[in-house]
Every structure is written in C-alpha cells, then in structure tokens.
Amino acid sequence: MKKGKKYIESAKLINKSELYDTANAMELVCKTATAKFDETVEVHVRLGVDSRHADQQVRGAIVLPHGTGKSIKVLVFAKGDNVEKAKEAGADYVGAEDMVQKIQSENWFDFDVVVATPDMMGLVGRLGKVLGPKGLMPNPKAGTVSPNVAQAIKEIKAGKIEYRLDKTNIIHCPIGKASFGAQKLQENFDTLLGAIIKAKPAAAKGQYIKSCVVASTMGPGIKVNGAKLG
C-alpha cells in the first residue's frame, strides 16, 4: 500500500522503536493528525489473555469524561411507557416489531447503538444474525439491555463506549478526536485503560497488557509504554 506524503512526514516524527509515555504519545498523535477532517484517535490494546476461553473474556462499557466527539444515533426497542421515556432521553428511533421489519426488509442500519429493555430481547433475538456480526446486539454487560432506557441513552449520548476483545485478543476503541488536544485525550485514555485493567480476568496469567498503540484515522501508530499502565 502506497503511503501518502502527509503520512510519510508524520511518520518521521515518531521513533518506531520507542515506547512513549502517555502524555508524549497524546501530543504526538495530535501532531500527526494532518488530514483535512477532524481525525478520530483510536487505541489498540493487545492483552495477555485467550479470548477463546469464557473465563478470559474482557468486555464492558465506560463513559469517557470528554465523550468521543461523535454524535451517536441510538435505536431503542421498547414498548408501553418506555417508548416516551426513550424519546424524551434523546433516542433517534424507537419501536418494536416495526423496527425489526424495517431492518429485515430494507437492510436498514442508520444507527450506531441498539438499546433494548429486557422484555424486548425475545423480539430483538430475531435480529441476532444481522446485528451480531456488526457488534450491534444489545448486551447487559455493555449496559445496552436495561430496564432504565432513559439512563442507558443518556450515557451513550454522553460518550459511553464499549470495549471488547476481538479474536486476536486486541481491544480497539476510539478515545476522541484529534481536535480534543493532548490533555483531554489523555484523560479519556486513562479512563478506558483503567476500566480494562480493572476487568482483568482472574484466569489471566503473566503480563496482562502486552502492547498498546494509539493512532489517528490517517496517522501512524504510536507505541505506548504498557509497563507503566498496569
């Protein structure tokens, strides 16, 4: 893959063999985000666990202190009083069978997060094959299956993100936009890493955080010193 001029210039600012402390890494990630749009900053954390084992899963959700900088569209499956509560809390779409129908017949996915009340999970389960692969299936661990829809929606809109291991034992998460500046990105980063460290499974042996890299959408990866993280 041919790298663009801006990427090559940005890459010169980074010593590939160096493990940066968090503050320096955040300053560098802002400097290397040179695209014309406001780039998203992502963290990639490789963990010393085996995601194939149920007792070594790492998954949860956390509200970032400064949000993600992205406006999130929320689809809510609810009925009765919860429909009004969801609308008042700022849900973009609320429904039940009608929404299942729309997704199935129109292949409609104009939303980023799905929230459901527990009594709706039987209905939402019908969409497992389409929502599951996209990582959109509501889940109690992520706080997206909740009897309190209003609170769930407010947290998502405030910048709640879900972190979970992929098949290669890496967690990929956005921690904001390059325009946030190093300080806010660091506070979001610390909150996320704190949650991941807290979620360490009892069955995990040896070094837990194997490596950690931050990068903006179009910028090069910057290695963070994992030994200082926990």
Side-chain angles (χ1 to χ4, degrees):
M1 192 173 113
K2 192 169 181 287
K3 300 277 194 263
K5 251 190 246 172
K6 284 183 176 176
Y7 181 97
I8 292 163
E9 286 304 308
S10 294
K12 285 179 187 169
L13 299 170
I14 294 157
N15 178 348
K16 283 194 170 170
S17 58
E18 188 173 336
L19 293 173
Y20 291 92
D21 65 35
T22 320
N24 287 348
M26 296 307 147
E27 278 176 18
L28 273 171
V29 86
C30 293
K31 272 185 197 159
T32 54
T34 53
K36 288 194 172 91
F37 61 94
D38 191 6
E39 295 182 48
T40 296
V41 176
E42 285 216 337
V43 178
H44 309 277
V45 188
R46 184 185 292 278
L47 297 181
V49 294
D50 187 342
S51 62
R52 291 172 301 178
H53 298 292
D55 62 352
Q56 292 189 42
Q57 285 298 327
V58 179
R59 182 177 187 174
I62 188 87
V63 178
L64 296 175
H66 303 290
T68 60
K70 184 184 174 198
S71 58
I72 304 289
K73 286 187 183 173
V74 181
L75 163 62
V76 178
F77 284 95
K79 58 187 179 190
D81 294 348
N82 283 320
V83 172
E84 268 320 300
K85 285 178 187 169
K87 284 178 181 170
E88 279 170 20
D92 298 274
Y93 309 103
V94 188
E97 282 86 355
D98 55 332
M99 289 296 168
V100 172
Q101 184 65 30
K102 190 172 170 67
I103 290 167
Q104 285 177 334
S105 62
E106 297 175 29
N107 199 25
W108 173 74
F109 290 101
D110 186 27
F111 47 87
D112 304 294
V113 179
V114 181
V115 172
T117 52
D119 59 332
M120 298 300 283
M121 282 310 288
L123 179 70
V124 179
R126 290 188 216 161
L127 296 169
K129 281 185 182 163
V130 288
L131 294 181
K134 292 180 184 289
L136 290 167
M137 197 66 186
N139 181 284
K141 277 190 180 168
T144 44
V145 176
S146 171
N148 188 341
V149 282
Q151 187 189 348
I153 295 159
K154 281 173 187 161
E155 285 182 351
I156 290 161
K157 293 279 185 182
K160 185 178 195 174
I161 58 163
E162 187 182 352
Y163 57 87
R164 60 191 294 186
L165 276 182
D166 69 7
K167 286 188 177 120
T168 60
N169 305 314
I170 299 175
I171 289 173
H172 310 271
C173 271
I175 54 163
K177 298 281 185 184
S179 62
F180 282 19
Q183 181 68 39
K184 285 184 176 177
L185 286 171
Q186 180 164 355
E187 286 168 19
N188 277 357
F189 175 90
D190 290 344
T191 301
L192 172 64
L193 264 287
I196 292 171
I197 289 163
K198 219 172 176 178
K200 180 179 179 179
K205 299 283 180 275
Q207 190 183 354
Y208 180 51
I209 292 180
K210 292 273 193 190
S211 68
C212 179
V213 173
V214 291
S216 61
T217 311
M218 308 294 283
I222 299 156
K223 292 175 188 169
V224 181
N225 190 343
K228 290 186 177 178
L229 300 172

